[in-house]
Amino acid sequence: MDKLSCYFLLLLSFFCFRLDLSWSLETRFNRAPNNQGSSDLANLVYHMGPVLSSPIKLYIIWYGNWNSTHQATIRDFLNSFSSPALSPSVADWWKTVRLYTDQTGSNITDSLSLSGEFFDSRLSNGVRLNRLSMQHIIKNAVTSKPSPLPLDPRSGLYLVLTSSDVQVDEFCRAVCGFHYFSFPSIVGATVPYVWIGYSGTQCPGVCAYPFARPLGAPPPSAMGGNDIMRPPNGDAGVDGMISVIAHELAESSSNPLVNAWYAGDNPIAPGEIADMCLGLYGSGGGGGYVGKVSTDAGGNGYNMNGVKGRRFLVQWVWDPVKKRCFGPNAID
């Protein structure tokens, strides 16, 4: 859900002060495995609300001026959820999310399809947005003529993706993305939605980890070289955005109305299934180390495969059966 100051502090704890930036890529990506993230303190509780068990139709709202190459990367990622790919795959990653059920025993769906796109390049709500602005952006997308998005309260999940030229309150300071549900008085129905911003020019060191130098890290000259993981699709901003999209889709599916799966007593700022695994991408991860992930010959880091030969780096989520963070590239 809303990743407030606690989210930002967690991110900083992973990004910064315990990250030994003198390690080589080979050393950092290939440490010994452990039971990362497992804790008796991670008390994830079901609060009797719905999960997204019906097939999900994803509707993208491209808000602002988007780079077509970045759009293609995001489309391919979203098309990877329900498509076969070389293992470990994005579809394999979603299998952990699917372990969450509602009170009838129905699992989160295994069907996610990109079902529509809307291009709001005219910036219908301006260049400075707040949280409530996202609902007005959705309203514009489902009412604009001649080709609105469908208003789909049964199967729709709306992604508001803001470009580099758009400013969003708390972006880069307290949030990289969030999810919530719309108000019928604004949109016309209750639908789950997520917002994620492109951080490539605004705050790559905060929201594009581990593809950009964290805030507070020493300059390259103090490290003997630029020891930063390279993004698998060539852009730190969009590759960092991919993991935040996955994070928010997992939580919107398991806690769409903020009354299903979360830890803690406060539904306004809950600990959700991806919050518990921030910064973990492979076995042995923790304390600033992303875990054991794969790299190609160019040093591009990834932990799962998608359609069209794409590779992505996506954070792990909490496995309710294993009671720890888990992903398809786990080696233990």
Side-chain angles (χ1 to χ4, degrees):
M1 190 193 152
D2 295 9
K3 308 303 178 288
L4 301 175
S5 57
C6 60
Y7 180 30
F8 184 62
L9 291 172
L10 279 169
L11 284 170
L12 286 179
S13 72
F14 282 117
F15 295 168
C16 301
F17 308 107
R18 296 182 60 190
L19 181 58
D20 182 353
L21 292 169
S22 66
W23 293 345
S24 69
L25 290 172
E26 181 67 21
T27 300
R28 190 190 304 172
F29 299 164
N30 293 283
R31 299 178 82 192
N34 63 20
N35 291 322
Q36 61 288 324
S38 59
S39 172
D40 293 335
L41 299 177
N43 185 26
L44 199 68
V45 176
Y46 177 54
H47 294 82
M48 305 305 289
V51 300
L52 299 186
S53 56
S54 297
I56 297 171
K57 294 182 179 180
L58 300 171
Y59 298 103
I60 301 178
I61 302 171
W62 301 102
Y63 192 86
N65 297 293
W66 274 91
N67 177 301
S68 60
T69 300
H70 298 168
Q71 290 175 314
T73 301
I74 292 171
R75 287 190 193 100
D76 287 345
F77 176 66
L78 296 176
N79 284 324
S80 297
F81 279 95
S82 297
S83 300
L86 184 68
S87 184
S89 68
V90 176
D92 293 335
W93 180 87
W94 191 254
K95 289 178 182 177
T96 301
V97 179
R98 291 203 65 234
L99 294 174
Y100 291 87
T101 63
D102 62 17
Q103 57 186 304
T104 71
S106 297
N107 293 83
I108 291 173
T109 182
D110 63 351
S111 176
L112 294 86
S113 59
L114 180 52
S115 299
E117 300 179 54
F118 184 85
F119 300 87
D120 197 340
S121 58
R122 295 186 177 182
L123 302 166
S124 61
N125 282 260
V127 296
R128 298 193 66 89
L129 307 175
N130 57 34
R131 291 170 180 269
L132 196 58
S133 301
M134 305 308 162
Q135 299 200 32
H136 290 284
I137 290 170
I138 295 171
K139 178 183 179 180
N140 177 67
V142 300
T143 58
S144 290
K145 304 297 182 182
S147 301
L149 289 178
L151 181 57
D152 186 357
R154 176 173 175 79
S155 300
L157 198 168
Y158 296 78
L159 290 80
V160 180
L161 306 181
T162 53
S163 60
S164 60
D165 54 336
V166 177
Q167 303 289 322
V168 178
D169 285 357
E170 300 182 309
F171 183 41
C172 298
R173 296 184 297 106
V175 296
C176 298
F178 64 79
H179 78 88
Y180 206 57
F181 55 89
S182 67
F183 304 148
S185 60
I186 297 176
V187 176
T190 298
V191 294
Y193 69 90
V194 305
W195 160 76
I196 302 96
Y198 175 80
S199 65
T201 54
Q202 294 188 39
C203 57
V206 175
C207 293
Y209 172 79
F211 303 121
R213 190 166 307 284
L215 296 175
S221 59
M223 297 164 47
N226 186 2
D227 193 19
I228 293 295
M229 188 188 298
R230 296 178 181 175
N233 296 286
D235 184 86
V238 77
D239 276 300
M241 195 176 183
I242 290 294
S243 190
V244 182
I245 290 172
H247 179 123
E248 298 302 337
L249 288 179
E251 295 184 342
S252 185
S253 298
S254 58
N255 196 28
L257 301 182
V258 203
N259 60 358
W261 288 97
Y262 63 87
D265 299 324
N266 184 3
I268 297 176
E272 297 176 291
I273 70 171
D275 295 333
M276 295 183 175
C277 305
L278 286 171
L280 295 176
Y281 298 82
S283 295
Y289 167 55
V290 300
K292 184 177 176 63
V293 301
S294 299
T295 57
D296 62 22
N300 303 302
Y302 67 96
N303 63 354
M304 59 191 71
N305 299 287
V307 299
K308 301 180 182 179
R310 292 277 194 183
R311 292 168 170 171
F312 304 103
L313 187 77
V314 175
Q315 70 147 97
W316 285 6
V317 293
W318 188 261
D319 186 313
V321 177
K322 295 180 173 62
K323 303 296 184 184
R324 65 184 180 95
C325 298
F326 188 75
N329 59 313
I331 60 174
D332 56 338

